[in-house]
Amino acid sequence: MYITSFKTKPVLVAALFSLFLAGCSAGQENTNSENVATHSVTHELGTAEVPDKAERVVTLELGLTETAAALGVIPIGVADDDKPERIAEDTMKLIDGYTSVGTRAQPNLEVIRSLNPDLIIVDVDRHESIYEELQKIAPTVAFKDDAANYETVVETTTKLGEALNKESEAEKLITQHNQLSEELKSKMEVTDKTVLQAGYSEGNVFSVSTPSAFTPGFLTTLGVNYALQDDTATTQELTIEQLLKINPDTLIVTITEDAPSVLETLKEDPLWNKLTAVSSKQVYEVGHNDWSRRRTLLAIEDNKEKLTEILQNMKTENAE
């Protein structure tokens, strides 16, 4: 009897221990199974039950990070492309101390899991392929940001407010933005003069934004006559020769962090100098991060001074 009992007890203990480990593993996979107050959120990839007061949020797109922080929810994990300088200065002050979860294109799932999040906020276009994996870690909601036009960014602001239980804060942010829009409209008059925004790259090629892109889309809502119409893509790759065919009266050129001045680089180029915007000194060099990579209502606020300058110059020319 003793021998039989002695042999079966370790087996029973081992079985119980295995069940305990399995339970721990399941608990680690999605820590949001606890009884917490939740609300249902409809997003681009379905519906999710998210905490009413999410405290450990991970954001995988810069615009979503910026807007969440502005609404009063500070992410603990951020996909920052390992380049924190891409995060807006005011946002960085709010989220300082966050953990980088890698790039927006390929976020590190193990790092995300280690943060034990209670909510993950992602971009539908970038992260649909890993959505199921993220859901196993925590409730995940997907919105449009990476390829979003202006109207979609406004909608995403509202939806993000709903997801974070910050509806009144989102409404306030949109109201302030609308007031700024009216202020900027007062800086210009209706004019036939055209505007174009483009990024410059090596080989004298410009990545020209269409009205489907964020900032150009905003400009069109002000009544600006945008020089390129295309509702099928956010950008077109054009040479200077092709740019000359469009020949905008005002050209906004976005410059990446370490890139040289386009005005300096192309100052001897004969085709470049034929552009009306160049000959009339209506080329504005602006930061690519603030004017293209950032797709938030706060970016418009930060660009207010330069936008006012551009619009006032159009008004001055029109009055002459």
Coordinates of all heavy atoms in Angstrom, one line a residue, residues 162-199:
E162 N -14.3 58.1 -28.3 CA -15.3 57.1 -27.8 C -14.6 55.8 -27.3 O -15.0 55.3 -26.2 CB -16.2 56.6 -29.0 CG -17.1 57.8 -29.5 CD -17.8 57.4 -30.8 OE1 -17.5 56.3 -31.4 OE2 -18.6 58.2 -31.3
A163 N -13.5 55.4 -27.9 CA -12.8 54.2 -27.5 C -12.1 54.5 -26.1 O -12.1 53.6 -25.2 CB -11.7 53.9 -28.5
L164 N -11.7 55.7 -25.9 CA -11.0 56.0 -24.6 C -11.9 56.6 -23.5 O -11.4 57.0 -22.5 CB -9.8 57.0 -24.9 CG -8.7 56.5 -25.8 CD1 -7.8 57.6 -26.2 CD2 -8.0 55.3 -25.1
N165 N -13.2 56.6 -23.9 CA -14.2 57.2 -22.9 C -13.9 58.6 -22.7 O -14.0 59.1 -21.5 CB -14.2 56.4 -21.6 CG -15.6 56.3 -21.0 OD1 -16.6 56.7 -21.7 ND2 -15.7 55.9 -19.8
K166 N -13.4 59.3 -23.7 CA -13.1 60.7 -23.6 C -13.8 61.6 -24.7 O -13.2 62.4 -25.4 CB -11.5 60.9 -23.8 CG -10.7 60.2 -22.8 CD -10.7 61.0 -21.5 CE -9.7 60.4 -20.5 NZ -9.6 61.2 -19.2
E167 N -15.1 61.3 -24.8 CA -15.9 62.0 -25.8 C -15.9 63.5 -25.7 O -15.8 64.2 -26.7 CB -17.4 61.4 -25.8 CG -17.5 60.0 -26.2 CD -17.5 59.0 -25.0 OE1 -16.9 59.4 -24.0 OE2 -18.1 58.0 -25.2
S168 N -16.1 64.0 -24.5 CA -16.1 65.4 -24.3 C -14.8 66.1 -24.7 O -14.8 67.2 -25.2 CB -16.5 65.8 -22.9 OG -15.6 65.3 -21.9
E169 N -13.7 65.4 -24.3 CA -12.4 66.0 -24.7 C -12.2 66.0 -26.2 O -11.6 66.9 -26.7 CB -11.3 65.1 -24.0 CG -11.2 65.3 -22.5 CD -12.1 64.4 -21.7 OE1 -13.0 63.8 -22.4 OE2 -12.0 64.2 -20.5
A170 N -12.6 64.9 -26.9 CA -12.5 64.9 -28.3 C -13.4 66.0 -29.0 O -13.0 66.7 -29.9 CB -12.9 63.5 -28.9
E171 N -14.6 66.2 -28.4 CA -15.4 67.2 -28.9 C -14.8 68.6 -28.8 O -14.9 69.5 -29.7 CB -16.8 67.2 -28.2 CG -17.8 68.2 -28.8 CD -19.1 68.1 -28.0 OE1 -19.4 67.1 -27.3 OE2 -20.0 69.0 -28.2
K172 N -14.2 68.8 -27.6 CA -13.5 70.1 -27.4 C -12.4 70.3 -28.4 O -12.2 71.4 -28.9 CB -13.0 70.1 -26.0 CG -12.3 71.4 -25.6 CD -11.8 71.4 -24.1 CE -11.0 72.7 -23.8 NZ -10.5 72.7 -22.4
L173 N -11.6 69.3 -28.6 CA -10.5 69.3 -29.6 C -10.9 69.7 -31.0 O -10.3 70.6 -31.6 CB -9.7 68.0 -29.6 CG -8.4 67.9 -30.3 CD1 -7.4 68.9 -29.6 CD2 -7.8 66.5 -30.3
I174 N -12.0 69.1 -31.4 CA -12.6 69.4 -32.7 C -13.1 70.8 -32.8 O -13.0 71.5 -33.8 CB -13.7 68.4 -33.1 CG1 -13.0 67.0 -33.3 CG2 -14.4 68.8 -34.4 CD1 -14.0 65.8 -33.4
T175 N -13.8 71.3 -31.7 CA -14.3 72.6 -31.7 C -13.2 73.7 -31.8 O -13.3 74.6 -32.5 CB -15.1 72.9 -30.4 OG1 -16.2 72.0 -30.3 CG2 -15.6 74.3 -30.3
Q176 N -12.1 73.4 -31.1 CA -11.0 74.3 -31.1 C -10.4 74.4 -32.5 O -10.0 75.4 -33.1 CB -9.9 73.9 -30.1 CG -10.3 74.1 -28.7 CD -9.3 73.6 -27.7 OE1 -8.5 72.7 -28.0 NE2 -9.3 74.1 -26.5
H177 N -10.3 73.2 -33.2 CA -9.8 73.1 -34.5 C -10.7 73.9 -35.5 O -10.2 74.6 -36.4 CB -9.7 71.6 -34.9 CG -9.4 71.5 -36.4 ND1 -8.2 71.7 -36.9 CD2 -10.2 71.1 -37.4 CE1 -8.2 71.5 -38.2 NE2 -9.4 71.1 -38.6
N178 N -12.0 73.7 -35.3 CA -12.9 74.4 -36.2 C -12.8 75.9 -36.1 O -12.9 76.7 -37.1 CB -14.4 74.0 -35.9 CG -14.7 72.6 -36.4 OD1 -14.0 72.0 -37.3 ND2 -15.7 72.0 -35.8
Q179 N -12.5 76.4 -34.9 CA -12.3 77.8 -34.7 C -11.1 78.3 -35.4 O -11.0 79.4 -36.0 CB -12.2 78.1 -33.2 CG -13.5 77.9 -32.4 CD -13.4 78.0 -30.9 OE1 -12.3 77.9 -30.4 NE2 -14.5 78.1 -30.2
L180 N -10.0 77.4 -35.3 CA -8.8 77.8 -36.0 C -9.0 77.8 -37.5 O -8.5 78.7 -38.2 CB -7.7 76.7 -35.7 CG -6.4 76.8 -36.5 CD1 -5.7 78.2 -36.3 CD2 -5.4 75.7 -36.1
S181 N -9.8 76.9 -38.0 CA -10.1 76.9 -39.5 C -10.8 78.2 -39.9 O -10.4 78.7 -40.9 CB -11.0 75.7 -39.8 OG -10.4 74.5 -39.5
E182 N -11.7 78.6 -39.1 CA -12.4 79.9 -39.4 C -11.4 81.1 -39.4 O -11.5 82.0 -40.2 CB -13.6 80.1 -38.5 CG -14.7 79.1 -38.7 CD -15.3 79.2 -40.1 OE1 -15.5 80.3 -40.6 OE2 -15.5 78.1 -40.6
E183 N -10.5 81.0 -38.5 CA -9.5 82.1 -38.4 C -8.6 82.1 -39.6 O -8.3 83.1 -40.2 CB -8.7 81.9 -37.1 CG -7.6 82.9 -36.9 CD -6.7 82.6 -35.7 OE1 -7.1 81.8 -34.8 OE2 -5.6 83.2 -35.7
L184 N -8.2 80.9 -40.0 CA -7.3 80.8 -41.2 C -8.1 81.2 -42.5 O -7.5 81.9 -43.4 CB -6.8 79.4 -41.4 CG -5.8 79.0 -40.3 CD1 -5.5 77.5 -40.5 CD2 -4.5 79.8 -40.5
K185 N -9.4 80.9 -42.6 CA -10.2 81.3 -43.7 C -10.2 82.8 -43.9 O -10.2 83.4 -45.0 CB -11.6 80.8 -43.6 CG -11.7 79.3 -43.9 CD -13.2 78.9 -43.8 CE -13.4 77.4 -44.1 NZ -14.8 77.0 -43.9
S186 N -10.2 83.5 -42.7 CA -10.2 85.0 -42.7 C -8.9 85.6 -43.2 O -8.9 86.8 -43.5 CB -10.5 85.5 -41.3 OG -9.4 85.3 -40.4
K187 N -7.9 84.8 -43.3 CA -6.6 85.3 -43.8 C -6.5 85.3 -45.3 O -5.5 85.8 -45.9 CB -5.4 84.4 -43.2 CG -5.5 84.3 -41.7 CD -5.3 85.5 -41.0 CE -5.2 85.3 -39.5 NZ -5.0 86.5 -38.7
M188 N -7.5 84.7 -46.0 CA -7.4 84.6 -47.4 C -8.6 85.1 -48.1 O -9.7 85.3 -47.5 CB -7.1 83.2 -47.8 CG -8.2 82.2 -47.4 SD -8.0 80.6 -48.1 CE -8.3 80.8 -49.8
E189 N -8.5 85.3 -49.4 CA -9.7 85.6 -50.2 C -9.8 84.6 -51.3 O -8.8 83.9 -51.6 CB -9.5 87.0 -50.9 CG -9.5 88.2 -49.9 CD -9.3 89.5 -50.5 OE1 -9.0 89.5 -51.7 OE2 -9.3 90.5 -49.8
V190 N -11.0 84.5 -51.9 CA -11.1 83.5 -53.0 C -10.2 84.0 -54.2 O -10.2 85.1 -54.6 CB -12.6 83.5 -53.5 CG1 -12.7 82.6 -54.7 CG2 -13.5 83.0 -52.4
T191 N -9.4 83.0 -54.7 CA -8.4 83.4 -55.7 C -8.3 82.2 -56.7 O -8.5 81.0 -56.3 CB -7.1 83.7 -55.1 OG1 -6.1 83.9 -56.1 CG2 -6.6 82.7 -54.1
D192 N -7.9 82.4 -57.9 CA -7.6 81.4 -58.8 C -6.2 80.8 -58.7 O -5.9 79.8 -59.3 CB -7.8 81.9 -60.3 CG -9.2 82.2 -60.6 OD1 -10.1 81.6 -60.0 OD2 -9.5 83.0 -61.4
K193 N -5.4 81.4 -57.9 CA -4.0 81.0 -57.7 C -4.0 79.6 -57.1 O -4.8 79.3 -56.2 CB -3.2 82.0 -56.9 CG -3.1 83.3 -57.7 CD -2.0 84.2 -57.0 CE -1.9 85.5 -57.8 NZ -1.3 85.3 -59.1
T194 N -3.1 78.8 -57.6 CA -3.1 77.4 -57.1 C -1.9 77.1 -56.1 O -0.9 77.8 -56.1 CB -2.9 76.5 -58.4 OG1 -1.7 76.8 -59.1 CG2 -4.1 76.6 -59.3
V195 N -2.2 76.1 -55.4 CA -1.2 75.6 -54.3 C -0.9 74.1 -54.5 O -1.8 73.4 -54.9 CB -1.8 75.9 -52.9 CG1 -0.8 75.3 -51.9 CG2 -2.0 77.3 -52.7
L196 N 0.3 73.7 -54.2 CA 0.7 72.3 -54.3 C 1.7 72.0 -53.2 O 2.5 72.8 -52.9 CB 1.3 72.0 -55.7 CG 1.4 70.6 -56.1 CD1 0.0 70.0 -56.4 CD2 2.3 70.4 -57.4
Q197 N 1.5 70.8 -52.6 CA 2.5 70.4 -51.6 C 3.2 69.2 -52.1 O 2.6 68.2 -52.7 CB 1.7 70.0 -50.3 CG 2.7 69.5 -49.2 CD 2.0 69.2 -47.9 OE1 1.3 70.1 -47.4 NE2 2.1 68.0 -47.4
A198 N 4.5 69.1 -52.0 CA 5.3 68.0 -52.5 C 6.5 67.8 -51.6 O 7.1 68.7 -51.0 CB 5.7 68.3 -53.9
G199 N 6.9 66.5 -51.5 CA 8.2 66.2 -50.9 C 9.3 65.9 -51.9 O 9.0 65.4 -53.0

